[in-house]
Amino acid sequence: MLSLRAIAVTITICTWTVPIALAGPITSSTSYKYYSVRGDTPLEIIQSARRSMPWHNGSRAWATIDTDTKTTRTLSTGGLCKLQSLNVTMTHVITLPRHQAEAKLAPDIRQQYQSFLATLIRHEEEHRAISQSCNLKIRQRALALPGQPNCDVFLNRMAQIVEQERNACNRRHEALDDRDVPRTPSFALFQAALTQAQANYKRRPLQPVRASGSRSYDNGRGDAAAPVFQSEPTNR
């Protein structure tokens, strides 16, 4: 999810829960949404998640983050055209799995599930931090722009800054996903599910593969990369 969570010259945003003051007139808030997950074993949990996980950008994702950014700006009215103020409001919505009977899971399975969930949360929060730092950089550079006799010229230069920082920000998002997504099959929950599936289907060896998805726990391009198991039963 995240095509750079929508940074544009006329950036549009909303308000959220858990407001955070980042730097002066930049505020950020985050709300959380959940999709239901069931199952008593690691394989059942993963299969359930794959049936329920959200669609994003045409693919499924283990977790996602959507960021909406709004700005209000004031240009100086006398003399040179210059940015007098720039207020930024960022609203993040993080979507995560939620097991419907987590307390009833066997202790080892509950620990595996909670560990993976904590990893998803950290990953999405890193995406959030990247977006926040990008907006801070855009604001700082825009306010430092020298005044111009023509506001069209000034706004064009401001748009160039936004584009430069957006591209840099997208590269950071991609690097984060490229770092984290390949690690997914190594988590204890997935290893236990793979062991269980292989034991159940000895003649159908499973191989971890990547599926494109949304920005979230994804491939960093706004596509969620959710590792899946080939020939995984009851998932088609």
Side-chain angles (χ1 to χ4, degrees), residues 19-37:
I20 301 170
L22 296 174
I26 291 190
T27 58
S28 169
S29 67
T30 305
S31 61
Y32 295 83
K33 293 170 56 179
Y34 301 91
Y35 63 92
S36 178
V37 174

Side-chain angles (χ1 to χ4, degrees), residues 1-8 11-13 64-70 89-94 123-132 134-135 166 169-170 172-174 176-177 215-216 218 220 222:
M1 241 165 196
L2 232 86
S3 53
L4 193 149
R5 308 192 182 40
I7 293 184
I11 316 178
T12 309
I13 317 178
T64 64
I65 181 167
D66 287 304
T67 297
D68 188 26
T69 305
K70 283 185 179 176
T89 305
M90 302 179 65
T91 304
H92 311 280
V93 179
I94 294 177
H123 179 89
E124 300 310 320
E125 288 178 346
E126 283 194 62
H127 277 305
R128 180 182 62 188
I130 290 172
S131 292
Q132 291 171 346
C134 289
N135 277 310
R166 178 171 57 189
C169 196
N170 277 329
R172 292 173 64 188
H173 284 303
E174 291 171 2
L176 173 60
D177 287 325
R215 183 166 250 137
S216 58
D218 70 351

Side-chain angles (χ1 to χ4, degrees), residues 174-215:
E174 291 171 2
L176 173 60
D177 287 325
D178 287 344
R179 182 197 75 187
D180 285 353
V181 172
R183 300 176 181 174
T184 311
S186 67
F187 289 111
L189 183 70
F190 288 83
Q191 289 296 308
L194 183 59
T195 299
Q196 180 187 352
Q198 288 174 329
N200 293 342
Y201 299 88
K202 292 181 181 178
R203 295 185 181 181
R204 301 169 64 188
L206 308 179
Q207 297 295 329
V209 297
R210 294 180 65 183
S212 63
S214 127
R215 183 166 250 137

